[in-house]
Amino acid sequence: MLATLTPGFAGAAKPPSDETAVFNLVTISAQHAADVLRKLYPHDRITVDPRSNAVIAVGSSQDVAAMRQVITGIDVKNPAQTTIDTVQLHVLSSADAIARIGPLFPHARFRNAPNRTIIIQAPPADIAQIKALVSTLDTPAAPPSPRPQYLAEAVRVTQRGTRDVARAVAHGVPGVRVAVSGAEVLLSGTPDDVAHAKALIAQLDQPQSGVSYTEVYRLRAVDAMSVADLLRRSFPNIAIQVDKDLNALTVFATTSIQRRIADAVAQLDGAPPDGSAPGAPGSSVTAGFGPGGTQTEVLTLRAAVPGMNGAPSTSATDIATTVQSALSSSAPDLKITVPPNSTQVVLTGSASSIRQAKDLIDRLDTTPLIVALDTEVLEVDEGVSKQLGLKFPTAALSTQFGEVAPSIPADGSATPKLIGLQPITRTPLTLQAQLDFLITNHKARILEDPRLTTISGRTASLRAGETINILTTTGGGTGTVATTQVQSFQTGVTLDITPVVNANNYITVSLHPSVNTFAGSNGGVPQIQTRDATTTVGLQDGQTLVIGGLIEDDITHDTQKVPLLGDLPLIGKLFRDTSLQYTRNELIVTVTPHVVKPGEDASNIGPALPAIPSPAPLPTLPPDATLPPMRKATPAPLPTRPPAPISEPSPAGTRSPSDVTPAPRPTATPSPAPRASGSSGIPQALPTAFGQTNVYTYGQAPQNNYADPQAPPQIFFAQVQPTVVKNGQSITISAITTTNVTRLTFGTTATNAQASLAKIGSGQWQSTFNFSTAGVSAAQGNIQMTLSAYTNLGAIASVPIPLSLVNQ
């Protein structure tokens, strides 16, 4: 501390230009600092105040400023002087840490303290290095690499031989183990291999060609009895049953008839012309027209969440506020109202304003993604209690003093003293002591592993703990009535998680864990101790976030002793009682978010139950309607290339462009085209009972699809879904070819628009893409697509795929 005094010191006069300063020393003594200053400034007056360890200097202003710099430089600790510090360990033991670090610092002294603590005596520079080394060594071991996950599933085979299917799966998917149990095929392997094996079994488990089988068709937008009458008139030889409760048809027929029925049902049981039913999410209903040409329309949102307890929906309110603010200049007459506890908005205004509002709402009203959160909350509680020594109670050493009662003769001749005291007596001394020799250790590990599911942008909360209730009384004074209420206090762990899904499944997670602990009571009111943390991080799908360090350490040391005796050396411990209470509580939280894809079941509890049919009557078909006659598909001839001769190389050993001719390319061998039912050719693959309709299947999976690189390509199996398409509709194509096929395309023969399929295995292909009507007439009902296979030598094999095109 530096202070400047007013001129004058001890009443002595000094030149007006002199200045007085007081230097308070912290580290070194004032006498040592005064000796240094006297040597540097012999003409100045320097005195010492030993009581405050200060130096008083009188000199010129330049000398006083220089003295301040000197004092600042010398009033510091000696960097080579040893200091004492402690280090808390978490993983290593104190003895192990000292054994590792001690040889590296021979001039440092280490001592083992309780609770994994090391006492270090060394220079400050060595202590910094020792702490850095301890933090590096005192880390938990790396967790073992996760073992690959294996699944085991049983798939029932209903149409083909179980052993034949098992052999084909074992050959087609080498990474999966296959076994047969009755009519089921047992699959064991990684999830990807098991999924591939199940897909292959679904393709192989098809009925034989020409065999009739049963198919069920669920209808939504048309009456099933009317459709049954249409099918009976079109196919008199098939068996049809109608389930009025489910509005479904059960048809027993061959493959060709089942395909025609599936196409007819897909076209007849379509959506309403406006694309949505009244009241469905994303639909709107015109409520009427007001004065001046104003129009009122009710729009049902797709992604809004209803409010709780009659409160308005925040999603609908946010969308309404945004649209109202964005269109305030272009549509000033627009008014948007959100009904309470509803997912609808009421639009009022002109037709142009409502149209603008609907377009903007359609862009904002997007369905949020679902996020599944795998959380783990680990709470570790450790405690040590020690009670050692000789404990004396409050009245450890006691005796009682009393006065002897005066004796009176029987004749009463002697008169007792009135004021004088009688002899004083005491009882024998009583000494009480309690020997405490108790050490208690306890460890607790509480693990919670919940799985929470919420939509993007919504908070999922988890609470595990207890509720402390107390009775509080208010009032009761003059003229007031006493009121007793129950006041609740929450203890335990609370976890709030808010995930937000961004582009490319990048998840922003806001996490707020808190721990409330009962710390005692004050006047009957519980005291709650809180530890919490708030963080926001960005994670990828499946990445794990770990939050630790919510540690609570509590050490209580209490000593009771007998005065004087407890302070004696050596034997003083016999008259002391020591109590130590140590508690340590740590909370670790891990969160792993997963984005649930549309249509995927987050809980994996099985397929959803069928929806209850609507009691409203469905529309019927005209009484004389029939299906058009079946068309036979004729495969188009494929072009071939004649072999070209190979010229000999030039004598000089070099080749010119005119010397090189292409190698002969094998003639393309077209794969067999699909034929109608009853004709000869490769048996057609049939859909399983209760399977997916509106699917075109060609050929069947082979037992072996290996082919030499020089051999011509072949397409053994192809499946296209759906066959009734429109512009922009998603189409899924699966195919099995020979192993020498390097490229497989799908497209029209009239245009050059060809889509390439992705190779998922040896001769196995699968892709999903959006169908485009580019180069196809919009009025054309039936179009011919081509599936083409290419090899490295230029050989081509093609299969025609018929599709039905419908207008938007």
Side-chain angles (χ1 to χ4, degrees), residues 153-454:
E153 292 191 20
V155 181
R156 188 174 185 83
V157 179
T158 59
Q159 302 296 333
R160 292 295 183 94
T162 309
R163 296 187 178 275
D164 296 338
V165 173
R167 294 191 190 98
V169 172
H171 179 76
V173 188
V176 69
R177 299 180 60 182
V178 184
V180 176
S181 176
E184 294 182 342
V185 177
L186 305 181
L187 306 175
S188 176
T190 61
D192 293 340
D193 291 341
V194 172
H196 292 167
K198 291 173 64 177
L200 183 57
I201 291 177
Q203 297 175 2
L204 296 176
D205 189 24
Q206 309 290 345
Q208 298 294 332
S209 176
V211 178
S212 298
Y213 62 96
T214 302
E215 187 71 56
V216 178
Y217 302 95
R218 291 285 306 275
L219 303 176
R220 297 172 300 173
V222 68
D223 183 61
M225 184 63 71
S226 176
V227 176
D229 295 339
L230 170 65
L231 297 180
R232 290 191 183 97
R233 289 191 298 270
S234 303
F235 308 102
N237 298 326
I238 64 174
I240 302 177
Q241 293 182 356
V242 180
D243 188 340
K244 295 183 179 180
D245 295 334
L246 296 178
N247 195 44
L249 298 176
T250 303
V251 181
F252 183 76
T254 59
T255 305
S256 58
I257 297 178
Q258 293 282 15
R259 289 177 179 171
R260 296 193 63 201
I261 293 175
D263 294 340
V265 169
Q267 297 184 26
L268 296 174
D269 194 36
D274 58 352
S276 62
S283 63
S284 61
V285 178
T286 302
F289 295 90
T294 59
Q295 182 177 347
T296 301
E297 191 166 339
V298 179
L299 181 63
T300 303
L301 301 179
R302 293 188 297 266
V305 180
M308 300 179 62
N309 300 325
S313 170
T314 56
S315 302
T317 304
D318 294 341
I319 291 178
T321 304
T322 303
V323 174
Q324 186 81 53
S325 176
L327 301 180
S328 59
S329 58
S330 60
D333 59 331
L334 177 65
K335 183 180 180 181
I336 305 178
T337 305
V338 179
N341 195 22
S342 174
T343 60
Q344 296 178 330
V345 292
V346 181
L347 308 177
T348 305
S350 62
S352 176
S353 299
I354 292 180
R355 183 171 60 254
Q356 296 182 45
K358 291 174 61 177
D359 293 341
L360 186 55
I361 290 175
D362 185 64
R363 299 180 183 180
L364 297 175
D365 186 26
T366 57
T367 303
L369 296 176
I370 299 177
V371 181
L373 301 167
D374 291 330
T375 61
E376 288 187 1
V377 180
L378 176 63
E379 187 175 3
V380 181
D381 189 5
E382 299 179 0
V384 177
S385 176
K386 295 182 179 180
Q387 191 78 23
L388 304 174
L390 194 62
K391 185 177 180 180
F392 294 90
T394 305
L397 184 64
S398 63
T399 185
Q400 294 182 359
F401 293 87
E403 183 182 5
V404 177
S407 60
I408 301 175
D411 55 359
S413 59
T415 303
K417 299 180 180 180
L418 298 177
I419 302 176
L421 296 176
Q422 302 296 327
I424 303 299
T425 61
R426 63 175 179 86
T427 61
L429 292 175
T430 302
L431 178 64
Q432 297 181 1
Q434 177 182 347
L435 179 61
D436 291 336
F437 196 76
L438 180 64
I439 299 177
T440 304
N441 295 320
H442 75 272
K443 293 183 179 180
R445 184 176 182 269
I446 303 173
L447 177 63
E448 299 174 3
D449 188 13
R451 181 181 178 89
L452 307 177
T453 303
T454 182

Side-chain angles (χ1 to χ4, degrees), residues 563-604:
L564 299 179
L565 297 179
D567 297 329
L568 294 177
L570 299 180
I571 63 173
K573 295 182 179 179
L574 299 177
F575 302 94
R576 290 198 297 263
D577 182 74
T578 304
S579 175
L580 175 65
Q581 297 286 339
Y582 170 72
T583 58
R584 174 186 174 88
N585 183 275
E586 182 176 3
L587 183 69
I588 301 174
V589 180
T590 64
V591 178
T592 305
H594 301 281
V595 178
V596 180
K597 299 179 181 179
E600 182 180 359
D601 189 1
S603 59
N604 295 325

Side-chain angles (χ1 to χ4, degrees), residues 2 21 23 25 36-37 40-41 61-76:
L2 305 179
F23 306 105
L25 283 306
V36 174
L37 294 179
L40 297 177
Y41 306 97
S61 59
Q62 294 83 0
D63 291 348
V64 170
M67 290 179 187
R68 287 194 178 94
Q69 296 181 0
V70 173
I71 292 296
T72 304
I74 64 176
D75 191 26
V76 294

Side-chain angles (χ1 to χ4, degrees), residues 579-740:
S579 175
L580 175 65
Q581 297 286 339
Y582 170 72
T583 58
R584 174 186 174 88
N585 183 275
E586 182 176 3
L587 183 69
I588 301 174
V589 180
T590 64
V591 178
T592 305
H594 301 281
V595 178
V596 180
K597 299 179 181 179
E600 182 180 359
D601 189 1
S603 59
N604 295 325
I605 58 175
L609 296 176
I612 300 176
S614 174
L618 297 174
T620 59
L621 299 177
D624 299 331
T626 58
L627 294 178
M630 182 174 58
R631 298 176 297 275
K632 295 183 179 181
T634 303
L638 301 175
T640 59
R641 298 182 179 180
I646 302 176
S647 61
E648 296 293 332
S650 60
T654 59
R655 294 183 179 182
S656 62
S658 61
D659 295 334
V660 182
T661 58
R665 299 180 178 180
T667 305
T669 304
S671 301
R675 300 176 182 269
S677 177
S679 61
S680 62
I682 295 179
Q684 301 294 315
L686 306 178
T688 58
F690 307 100
Q692 182 72 21
T693 61
N694 199 9
V695 179
Y696 177 83
T697 304
Y698 163 80
Q700 61 183 2
Q703 294 293 336
N704 187 1
N705 66 335
Y706 175 79
D708 189 79
Q710 305 293 334
Q714 279 187 295
I715 301 177
F716 298 105
F717 173 82
Q719 189 178 65
V720 181
Q721 176 185 3
T723 58
V724 180
V725 297
K726 60 183 178 180
N727 188 27
Q729 186 172 355
S730 178
I731 297 180
T732 301
I733 304 175
S734 304
I736 300 178
T737 64
T738 52
T739 56
N740 59 351

